[in-house]
Amino acid sequence: MAWRYLVSPQLSRRPHYSRHLFTCPLWPVRNNSHSTHPLLDPTERLEEETLPWYSPERYYPVRVGEVLQSRYQIVGKLGYGGYSTIWLCRDLFPGSQRSKYVTLKVFECSSPEAQREMSAYNHLNSLDVPDHAGAKLIRKALDSFQITSDKGTFRCLVHPPLGMSMHDFRTQLRAKVLPENIVKLTLMHLLLALDYLHMEAGIVHTDIQEKNIMMGIEDSSILSHFEEEEKSNPSPRKVAGDREIYTSRKLRKTKQHGRPTLCDFGQARFGSSSYSGDIQPYIYRAPENEKVDIWNVGVLTWDIFQQGHLFYGRDSNESPSDADHLAEMVAIMGLPPKEMVQNSEYATTCFDDEGNWKGAADIPPISLQKLEGFLQGESQQLFLRFLRKTLKWNPIERQSARELLEDPWLRSS
């Protein structure tokens, strides 16, 4: 894979987009015949319907060919998430800095994640800070609006289109892991983005995972190809009452990939106050609910470079288990500081008063050095030192994104 750009400490000031009003569309509205979409069994759950919490009333029934805000015409479905569906659209009023294609994220009704993501983007778009390379590595919000129906209010975000996620790219490789040079390049971009978020925006992402890192699009023909394929060979759909559920279509594979870009601010938090509740995917969960992004960088690094997850957090029955998760962490990092144990309301179930392990799960006989399977000698030692700078019980002891950018392993060729 070749990314055709250079990372520079200073990039030009990020572009600001404004709404342009026109009396007529610059691009014609295309007619889409719903009858050409192959019909699927209406009794089988499809895409977002498979989510345990799915409720038809909470999802806006987007239709291919529909025009929203008299501007964004739905071309086809790109995917779905835990609280939204994602669509490729034609922008019927593209400005001078805009492509004729955009990505539309339609949130479920009255979604708290939507509110958090909107707040994060409103804050990011309001910043007037000195030029920072990381600002270019965060997905932009070009527009936002609401759809109001008798079911409620559905928030929508308009983004520049992006390519495949880091997860999709990694899993299509034969080895299922990224080469070391691509891992380093990815991390440098991610850390630049996090330095901007932490130091300039005061935002903690809290959901750093490879599905939330997407590649920029260098070959824009994959977007027009998507539209033409959707027109000539429509994606299958099912009819469920008054709505249609579409299957997603992937963008065509390409060898030209742009910058890794950090996306999805649905779990973002402002500042460094304490948070309640689970704010991360289970296997990425950190020992505390603040300053978690650097911890997640370490876990992510392992996942994209090694075979398997660093922490599984499951018992012998493959059920999520806090005790097994903590036991794995003790094996990797040693026992947590005694003061952390004494100040935690949960620690008494797994640690005694002296901070010794008493959990229900056995501490596995593993270590970073035993688990690492690709490097040798000095290269391995440099890599493990990088990981240990991120995997610290005490968040204060973890290096910042800016400090990690100077790490010897990350800078080595």
Side-chain angles (χ1 to χ4, degrees):
M1 176 178 67
W3 283 319
R4 296 168 14 189
Y5 54 88
L6 296 174
V7 181
S8 171
Q10 296 294 328
L11 299 177
S12 60
R13 185 175 298 276
R14 63 188 176 90
H16 293 271
Y17 298 98
S18 59
R19 296 286 302 273
H20 296 279
L21 299 178
F22 300 91
T23 57
C24 61
L26 295 180
W27 297 99
V29 176
R30 287 197 171 190
N31 293 323
N32 292 75
S33 174
H34 292 277
S35 63
T36 61
H37 287 261
L39 289 176
L40 300 174
D41 184 350
T43 64
E44 291 188 10
R45 291 182 178 270
L46 183 67
E47 304 241 333
E48 59 267 24
E49 291 182 303
T50 62
L51 297 171
W53 52 85
Y54 174 80
S55 171
E57 294 76 17
R58 296 192 61 81
Y59 280 77
Y60 178 74
V62 179
R63 292 175 182 266
V64 170
E66 179 179 8
V67 178
L68 299 173
Q69 293 293 98
S70 302
R71 176 169 185 172
Y72 305 112
Q73 184 176 27
I74 306 297
V75 171
K77 188 177 182 181
L78 289 167
Y80 68 99
Y83 49 89
S84 62
T85 53
I86 316 297
W87 306 82
L88 183 68
C89 298
R90 287 170 62 90
D91 184 352
L92 303 178
F93 303 106
S96 59
Q97 301 183 67
R98 294 277 289 270
S99 163
K100 69 175 180 179
Y101 294 106
V102 294
T103 297
L104 178 67
K105 187 172 189 176
V106 183
F107 294 94
E108 66 177 355
C109 181
S110 305
S111 166
E113 288 84 2
Q115 181 59 53
R116 278 195 289 267
E117 190 149 16
M118 292 286 189
S119 298
Y121 275 117
N122 286 338
H123 178 62
L124 288 169
N125 289 341
S126 72
L127 294 180
D128 184 15
V129 298
D131 295 338
H132 191 296
K136 295 281 189 180
L137 305 172
I138 295 168
R139 191 174 209 178
K140 301 296 186 291
L142 304 177
D143 193 7
S144 64
F145 59 91
Q146 295 184 162
I147 302 172
T148 302
S149 74
D150 57 352
K151 303 294 184 183
T153 299
F154 305 86
R155 295 176 182 267
C156 302
L157 272 174
V158 179
H159 297 289
L162 289 173
M164 68 173 61
S165 71
M166 190 59 62
H167 175 267
D168 288 341
F169 176 76
R170 177 183 64 80
T171 54
Q172 77 174 1
L173 300 176
R174 182 178 300 177
K176 305 302 181 186
V177 294
L178 298 182
E180 185 179 6
N181 63 322
I182 301 302
V183 172
K184 292 176 181 178
L185 190 56
T186 300
L187 289 175
M188 291 185 72
H189 285 77
L190 174 59
L191 290 168
L192 281 169
L194 288 178
D195 183 62
Y196 177 74
L197 285 180
H198 295 169
M199 304 305 295
E200 304 291 352
I203 290 178
V204 185
H205 188 279
T206 84
D207 195 14
I208 304 297
Q209 55 174 310
E210 53 184 333
K211 290 184 178 180
N212 289 337
I213 301 172
M214 301 184 73
M215 299 182 190
I217 294 177
E218 289 283 306
D219 178 9
S220 60
S221 70
I222 65 176
L223 300 173
S224 55
H225 177 268
F226 180 102
E227 181 175 18
E228 293 306 318
E229 282 291 298
E230 189 64 29
K231 182 180 178 182
S232 62
N233 184 27
S235 300
R237 66 185 171 100
K238 60 171 279 189
V239 177
D242 61 348
R243 65 183 54 235
E244 298 177 18
I245 308 294
Y246 296 87
T247 55
S248 302
R249 181 188 295 275
K250 292 185 178 296
L251 294 172
R252 185 183 64 190
K253 292 182 180 180
T254 176
K255 293 183 179 180
Q256 300 179 41
H257 299 288
R259 296 183 178 101
T261 302
L262 183 59
C263 307
D264 200 333
F265 287 81
Q267 300 298 331
R269 304 298 196 274
F270 288 85
S272 58
S273 58
S274 297
Y275 315 126
S276 61
D278 293 338
I279 59 175
Q280 300 170 273
Y282 190 81
I283 61 171
Y284 286 87
R285 195 176 305 159
E288 84 298 322
N289 283 340
E290 62 179 54
K291 295 184 179 179
V292 296
D293 288 344
I294 299 303
W295 171 276
N296 283 0
V297 167
V299 179
L300 170 73
T301 301
W302 186 274
D303 282 4
I304 63 178
F305 190 38
Q306 303 291 316
Q307 295 284 0
H309 298 302
L310 181 59
F311 302 115
Y312 281 92
R314 294 182 178 275
D315 59 23
S316 57
N317 296 319
E318 293 298 314
S319 299
S321 166
D322 286 335
D324 285 87
H325 190 191
L326 278 172
E328 291 172 327
M329 291 164 60
V330 170
I332 296 297
M333 300 185 297
L335 291 167
K338 188 185 298 186
E339 59 271 17
M340 287 190 69
V341 173
Q342 293 172 342
N343 292 331
S344 171
E345 59 182 298
Y346 305 107
T348 55
T349 60
C350 291
F351 300 94
D352 63 22
D353 293 339
E354 296 300 314
N356 297 311
W357 179 255
K358 67 170 189 177
D362 293 331
I363 297 175
I366 58 175
S367 68
L368 286 177
Q369 192 154 357
K370 288 179 180 178
L371 292 173
E372 202 290 314
F374 292 106
L375 303 175
Q376 294 180 344
E378 184 179 2
S379 295
Q380 185 188 65
Q381 293 306 310
L382 288 173
F383 171 63
L384 297 183
R385 285 177 199 149
F386 172 84
L387 283 181
R388 291 187 179 110
K389 293 175 183 177
T390 68
L391 302 177
K392 299 283 189 180
W393 287 103
N394 190 338
I396 297 175
E397 296 177 1
R398 297 177 207 149
Q399 289 200 350
S400 67
R402 187 168 299 181
E403 289 171 328
L404 288 172
L405 281 165
E406 301 301 322
D407 181 80
W409 172 71
L410 208 57
R411 291 287 180 177
S412 63
S413 58

